[in-house]
Amino acid sequence: MNFRPIRSLGGLFAALAVSCAGAAGGELPYFEDLPQVLTASRLPQPLHEAPGAVTVIDRETILATGYRDLARVFRLVPGMQVGQERGHAQWVTYHGLSNDNPTEMQVLIDGRSVITASAFGGVDWSALPLTLDEIDRIEIVRGTNASSFGANAFLGVINIITRHSSAGARESALVRTGTSGVRDAVASWSGGGENLSLRISAASQRDDGFDDLNDRRRIAKASVRSDWQPSPQDSLLLRAAATTGRRGEGYPDSMFGNNAPRDTDTDAHTLHLQWRHSPGAGEEWLVNYYRNHERITDEWVSSAPPLFPVVPLDRSRESERDDIELQHRSTPSPTLQLVWGGEARRDRVDSPFLVFSGNPHPQYLYRLFGNVEWRVLAPLTLNLGGAHEKYSGEPGRFSPRAFANWQATPDDTLRLGYSRAWRQRIPFELFGDIRATDPASGAVLVRPFLPNPDLRQTRIDAVELGYFGRFETWSTTLDVRAFNEDIRDFIVRVPQADPDPAPLLSPSRCPPGQLGLGSTRYENLDRPLTLRGIEYQLITRPRPGTELRIAHSLIDRRSGERDIGDRSAPYTASVSWLQDYGGGWTSMLSVLRSGPLAGGDGYVPSFRYVARPYTTVDVSIRYATRLGGTPLTFAITALNLGDEHQEIADRTEQALPAHREHPANLATRSVYFTASVALD
């Protein structure tokens, strides 16, 4: 297994002590077996030569966790802040800050962006048309990477790389059952010859979510991947996938039923085509085309008695994205490799209730990018890159990056770099205009969102100082990242004066003593927001069969407003122990710690709420054996074994008097049993 990656600095000093002890043991070229990564610069580079901090999570590590949901894996990555508002709702960010639907990290599957083009943006993690069995590895770039993957790589990149269709068992099946109504099933089949192969995967995921919430999940997924190599120089990849499902949302006591209990339906499908041409050593042409389509049905009825007993609400939305990209990589000399390319994209959004004035016009993106790696001296490598992007209605933006990696000894590498990025504005921030009306008279009752087409793109300038070392003592690796991230024009939701004419339930028209619902819109913060800190990831093997992993992050948040700084946890940490006992028995135990965090859903003016710090424990025990030559695996997994805790709050619910002092959505302990079989 290869996992490339405490609340005090003592943990860091202890890790550095291990490093120093290892360095004294000799100067062996331990970097020879480090994995090569592509996501940092789109160039194949050993981990220690990448322009930035990169964590690699391989297939074996994902299986060892026993997790059902991919998003939970990222809790083991330094700097990642992950939480659940309910069982199926995952909030995944790097360094926090995000609103209801995080868009500050680019998320890719085989190079295809899965950030939805819909009004709210973000990634629907539980509905991704992907099974965990399909994943070969995940590369996480921890830091701004717009020069390689555009504006959504504002704070980093998650690149999920699936297995070749000929890899793995010919047939496999998995069943899972447990508490909270867990009932899962996964099956796959693969076949073909040397040059043409096919894999078909299908999965069903069912559970009842967190206790005391309308939180059930019924998701079905299917995917097909085919790989064809018509010649030694050419290969073609086709992947088609679809998801359909129903999930519970809302709270029974929400104000006026503005977030009443209901079920939402999801239908999504994607098509991805990729052609790779390698005319010679060190040269490659790559063409990607993909189409994503998503439809969310989210309708319910609220009420404002006694005058307005029935008020229909509708957050339904549909989106389409078409994207084509060309990339060329070459190696002009032994000390120089470069990549350049271009991308064109079209997004269409249909959400009439969310945009009262009518759906926005299709949004277009055009982007040119390039990266160069130049080995100036044997121990010194420079990485220079940049991207020029043009969005509909925006001036062109240039995002540069410059990094220097100095291999001071065969065991120790230092890196120093600067990068800039511009965050893409999502449609709802620009055009969101919700007007709930009385069905009888057509009068506007509330208008919670107002549009702001003049919203500016948020900019980040990031400086990073890093260290990567590998040491003979306990076969230890250590990656340290110190960072300063200066963010300008950060986007926040701000209360507004009642529009003209004022809605009937606005504060200015409500009688004394009755709570009204005012208007808000998204605006740019008028002062800089700065995140400074240090994070590290450590893996060590004190004895055969034992691995210990530590991921730890400390962040100093400076914004001039507590409410903004609260959206980033000041610290996160994870400590994992993996043990191979022999005889087919293995286990993984993870202790997860998160600092106070105000990320999540909802908005109430003048109401400040921060979820308390918590520590929780996950454990999975596996046994692999054979029956008549057939591989069988059994596992039991338990999540959230620590104290009861809240991770992400819905602030509109939390603001109600009944919840002011008590969390409205406690995370639920879960225990489940898994059995799987593979036929070669």
Side-chain angles (χ1 to χ4, degrees), residues 12 107 124 173 202 206 252 291 363 386 456 459 489 651 678:
L12 176 59
V107 181
D124 190 348
R206 302 168 67 92
R291 178 180 176 84
Q363 301 291 296
R456 298 183 299 276
R459 190 189 83 192
D489 287 328
R651 283 182 287 272

Side-chain angles (χ1 to χ4, degrees), residues 195-465:
N195 297 322
L196 177 63
S197 56
L198 175 72
R199 181 175 63 242
I200 302 173
S201 302
S204 172
Q205 192 172 31
R206 302 168 67 92
D207 61 65
D208 297 329
F210 288 176
D211 292 345
D212 303 320
L213 290 184
N214 179 43
D215 191 17
R216 57 188 172 274
R217 166 171 48 176
R218 308 289 185 265
I219 295 287
K221 306 176 182 182
S223 67
V224 176
R225 171 170 172 160
S226 179
D227 295 271
W228 179 37
Q229 188 167 1
S231 73
Q233 294 79 32
D234 297 280
S235 62
L236 294 168
L237 178 151
L238 179 150
R239 187 175 186 274
T243 297
T244 184
R246 174 167 292 182
R247 289 168 288 183
E249 299 283 359
Y251 294 87
D253 57 350
S254 61
M255 185 184 305
F256 299 137
N258 71 316
N259 190 18
R262 63 198 184 276
D263 287 336
T264 64
D265 293 327
T266 298
D267 290 288
H269 60 262
T270 183
L271 174 67
H272 181 194
L273 300 171
Q274 182 184 92
W275 171 60
R276 190 184 304 269
H277 176 66
S278 304
E283 184 177 9
E284 177 184 86
W285 290 90
L286 188 67
V287 177
N288 277 294
Y289 166 77
Y290 69 84
R291 178 180 176 84
N292 296 342
H293 178 269
E294 179 189 60
R295 180 185 293 112
I296 306 290
T297 303
D298 187 4
E299 303 171 331
W300 73 101
V301 174
S302 68
S303 63
L307 297 178
F308 309 105
V310 176
V311 181
L313 298 179
D314 185 357
R315 290 178 34 154
S316 299
R317 54 218 183 257
E318 184 177 1
S319 65
E320 293 177 350
R321 169 171 292 174
D322 290 278
D323 187 288
I324 188 166
E325 180 184 273
L326 170 69
Q327 173 184 304
H328 180 244
R329 176 172 60 84
S330 61
T331 309
S333 74
T335 60
L336 187 70
Q337 62 172 339
L338 58 91
V339 62
W340 61 269
E343 179 182 8
R345 175 188 298 170
R346 177 184 182 272
D347 290 342
R348 183 189 69 83
V349 177
D350 180 17
S351 50
F353 186 84
L354 302 178
V355 185
F356 182 83
S357 59
N359 290 320
H361 295 296
Q363 301 291 296
Y364 294 89
L365 158 71
Y366 302 98
R367 185 161 66 92
L368 298 174
F369 60 86
N371 283 282
V372 177
E373 181 197 77
W374 177 30
R375 188 175 296 279
V376 182
L377 301 169
L380 179 62
T381 303
L382 297 181
N383 280 273
L384 304 174
H388 186 272
E389 295 182 304
K390 177 68 172 68
Y391 287 91
S392 297
E394 278 286 339
R397 304 289 193 187
F398 181 66
S399 300
R401 178 176 63 186
F403 261 83
N405 290 47
W406 177 44
Q407 191 170 341
T409 75
D411 300 332
D412 306 284
T413 300
L414 296 172
R415 62 177 180 268
L416 176 65
Y418 162 81
S419 54
R420 169 176 287 184
W422 303 83
R423 175 186 175 273
Q424 180 183 355
R425 304 172 304 172
I426 63 176
F428 190 71
E429 293 172 342
L430 293 168
F431 309 114
D433 187 357
I434 296 178
R435 306 186 192 189
T437 60
D438 174 24
S441 66
V444 176
L445 304 179
V446 294
R447 194 177 173 188
F449 286 94
L450 303 177
N452 185 4
D454 298 324
L455 200 65
R456 298 183 299 276
Q457 283 184 272
T458 304
R459 190 189 83 192
I460 184 172
D461 292 273
V463 177
E464 172 181 329
L465 174 63

Side-chain angles (χ1 to χ4, degrees), residues 163-178:
R163 294 188 295 157
H164 192 279
S165 55
S166 64
R170 179 171 53 86
E171 298 174 6
S172 66
L174 176 151
V175 293
R176 181 181 290 123
T177 184

Side-chain angles (χ1 to χ4, degrees), residues 602-626:
Y603 176 84
V604 178
S606 303
F607 175 68
R608 178 174 177 263
Y609 182 82
V610 180
R612 298 181 180 91
Y614 68 88
T615 301
T616 192
V617 178
D618 297 343
V619 62
S620 185
I621 301 173
R622 302 173 68 217
Y623 175 63
T625 186
R626 286 181 174 268

Side-chain angles (χ1 to χ4, degrees), residues 15-38:
L16 292 175
V18 172
S19 304
C20 294
E27 295 187 353
L28 299 177
Y30 295 112
F31 293 122
E32 290 179 358
D33 62 346
L34 289 174
Q36 287 207 336
V37 294
L38 290 167

